[in-house]
């Protein structure tokens, strides 16, 4: 009897490792980044930040990227497709239109948004402190920094009259345009919107001959325009028209000047919010964060190429001056 019992226990012990190996592995969370357009550097930045937090693709996370090819009108259908596929643990939405499209498609999957305009006014959140829904993220409040960009352009071009502001369907709403129009008129500008409805027409709409008709240009945050950064900087440079852009990466690539948040730092905070949600936090309980770094950057080489002498008062306030 004892020998039979020993053999039975031995057989059970021998079978146990096989049973353990048969247990299903824990499922890696699936994250989908939804954006109006593909920006390779942005995707790689998110991947790098995820790795810093210990999330490695093909090991413990699945990271996918979906973009609307520059057509903001395609975002709602794209968001619905993502949600209908199922097995999505969180959506990173780049731009307010992408966040709105995702929120309309799902009220349950967590959404972490990089929103240019007020998330409460746009309907993404009940309040900044407690969003209360399935959306949290970074709220840039570009209308506030746009006012500052218009004011800076008045200092740089004191005799300028005709001011152009360039937008696409991502940024052409009232919350983006109104600050330019109102502030521009107060400062004596005649403001005109230059709308790039189809990115394929960008070179035609922003021809140097057309831009040269303006005395100055103000750009608002727009992910579609950012995807064509080098081309736009080249076109603006050929027009010899002074222009101010919304983030430091424009100046680093040759633009005259920029004022706005450091979007690289904002993306880091965005991924940090994703990490907290993957660890169990509810997006409705996580306050929308606001960027904390705002920089004025100036490229003196570009100023010389444009034949512009920048006021010493503006140069003195710059956080970085590229010689």
């Amino acid at each position: 009897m004892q020998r039979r019992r020993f053999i039975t226990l031995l057989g059970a012990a021998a079978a146990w490792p096989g049973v353990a190996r048969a247990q299903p592995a824990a499922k890696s969370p699936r994250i989908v980044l939804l954006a109006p357009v593909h920006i390779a550097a942005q995707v790689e930045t998110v991947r790098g930040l995820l790795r810093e937090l210990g999330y490695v693709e093909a090991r413990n996370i699945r990271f996918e990227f979906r973009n609307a090819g520059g057509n903001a009108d395609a975002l709602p259908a794209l968001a619905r497709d993502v949600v209908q596929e199922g097995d999505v643990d969180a959506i990173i939405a780049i731009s307010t239109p992408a966040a709105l499209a995702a929120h309309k498609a799902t009220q349950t999957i967590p959404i972490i948004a990089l929103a240019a305009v007020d998330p409460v006014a746009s309907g993404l959140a009940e309040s900044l402190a407690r969003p209360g829904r399935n959306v949290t993220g970074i709220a840039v409040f570009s209308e506030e920094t746009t006012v500052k960009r218009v004011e800076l352009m008045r200092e740089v071009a004191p005799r300028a009259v005709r001011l152009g502001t360039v937008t696409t369907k991502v940024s052409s709403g009232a919350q983006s345009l109104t600050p330019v129009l109102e502030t521009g008129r107060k400062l004596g500008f005649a403001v005109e919107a230059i709308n790039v409805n189809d990115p394929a027409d960008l070179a035609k709409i922003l021809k140097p001959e057309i831009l040269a008709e303006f005395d100055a240009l103000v750009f608002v945050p727009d992910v579609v325009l950012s995807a064509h950064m080098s081309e736009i900087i080249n076109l603006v440079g050929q027009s010899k028209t002074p222009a101010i852009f919304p983030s430091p990466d424009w100046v680093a690539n040759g633009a005259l000047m920029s004022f706005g948040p450091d979007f690289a730092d904002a993306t880091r905070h965005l991924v940090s919010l994703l990490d907290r949600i993957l660890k169990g936090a509810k997006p409705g309980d996580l306050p929308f964060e606001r960027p904390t770094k705002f920089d004025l950057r100036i490229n003196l080489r570009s100023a010389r190429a444009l034949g512009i002498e920048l006021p010493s008062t503006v140069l003195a306030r710059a956080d970085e001056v590229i010689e």
Side-chain angles (χ1 to χ4, degrees):
M1 177 64 71
Q2 288 179 342
R3 182 173 180 273
R4 188 180 301 120
R5 184 183 177 195
F6 173 76
I7 292 172
T8 301
L9 291 172
L10 185 64
W16 172 248
V19 173
R21 285 193 297 271
Q23 296 300 313
K27 181 178 72 69
S28 297
R30 180 184 175 213
I31 311 303
V32 177
L33 191 152
L34 181 69
V37 68
H38 177 68
I39 302 180
Q42 188 174 59
V43 176
E44 288 310 308
T45 296
V46 173
R47 281 197 171 107
L49 292 170
L50 286 170
R51 284 193 296 270
E52 288 180 14
L53 293 173
Y55 297 102
V56 181
E57 288 180 83
R59 184 187 301 171
N60 60 357
I61 198 167
R62 293 172 290 163
F63 179 59
E64 301 174 19
F65 179 71
R66 305 290 178 85
N67 76 90
N71 179 15
D73 292 336
L75 283 167
L78 190 61
R80 286 195 300 270
D81 290 344
V82 168
V83 172
Q84 289 170 4
E85 288 171 8
D87 191 28
V88 179
D89 294 276
I91 296 172
I92 300 175
I94 304 298
S95 78
T96 302
L100 289 169
H103 182 50
K104 187 174 181 180
T106 176
Q107 285 77 55
T108 55
I109 298 172
I111 299 166
I112 307 94
L114 181 58
V117 299
D118 184 348
V120 177
S122 60
L124 290 172
E126 294 174 6
S127 72
L128 294 179
R130 289 189 65 84
R133 300 173 184 170
N134 63 321
V135 188
T136 187
I138 309 299
V140 175
F141 284 87
S142 66
E143 50 268 49
E144 296 176 4
T145 53
T146 295
V147 168
K148 185 64 176 177
R149 281 190 287 275
V150 178
E151 292 172 347
L152 281 164
M153 189 48 67
R154 174 48 82 202
E155 290 188 67
V156 170
R159 289 184 293 275
V161 175
R162 194 177 180 201
L163 178 70
T165 181
V166 184
T167 64
T168 72
K169 288 184 178 179
V170 169
S171 58
S172 60
Q175 285 178 297
S176 291
L177 282 176
T178 299
V180 183
L181 297 173
E182 291 183 348
T183 306
R185 287 166 183 163
K186 287 178 183 177
L187 295 176
F189 286 115
V191 184
E192 183 177 334
I194 307 169
N195 299 312
V196 183
N197 291 324
D198 185 346
D201 296 331
L202 188 143
K204 179 173 65 177
I205 295 171
L206 301 184
K207 284 195 302 186
E209 309 91 270
I210 293 176
L211 297 182
E213 296 175 0
F214 292 90
D215 299 310
L217 299 166
V218 170
F219 284 74
V220 299
D222 189 302
V223 67
V224 174
L225 295 177
S226 294
H228 298 273
M229 183 180 297
S230 296
E231 182 180 5
I232 291 171
I233 291 172
N234 182 49
L235 292 168
V236 172
Q238 289 182 52
S239 75
K240 300 294 184 181
T241 306
I244 186 167
F245 294 87
S247 57
D249 47 341
W250 288 87
V251 172
N253 283 281
L256 172 64
M257 61 190 300
S258 70
F259 178 79
D262 184 333
F263 281 102
D265 184 66
T267 303
R268 181 175 295 277
H269 285 268
L270 195 77
V271 174
S272 177
L273 286 169
L274 170 65
D275 178 47
R276 293 175 65 182
I277 287 170
L278 292 179
K279 289 175 178 175
K282 295 180 180 179
D285 295 335
L286 297 177
F288 260 91
E289 297 182 16
R290 300 188 65 171
T292 56
K293 293 183 179 180
F294 293 86
D295 291 335
L296 170 60
R297 306 286 177 96
I298 294 172
N299 191 321
L300 283 183
R301 286 178 297 182
S302 299
R304 286 192 289 269
L306 292 171
I308 296 172
E309 185 174 348
L310 294 169
S312 58
T313 53
V314 173
L315 288 171
R317 299 201 304 273
D319 297 277
E320 181 181 356
V321 176
I322 298 175
E323 297 288 348

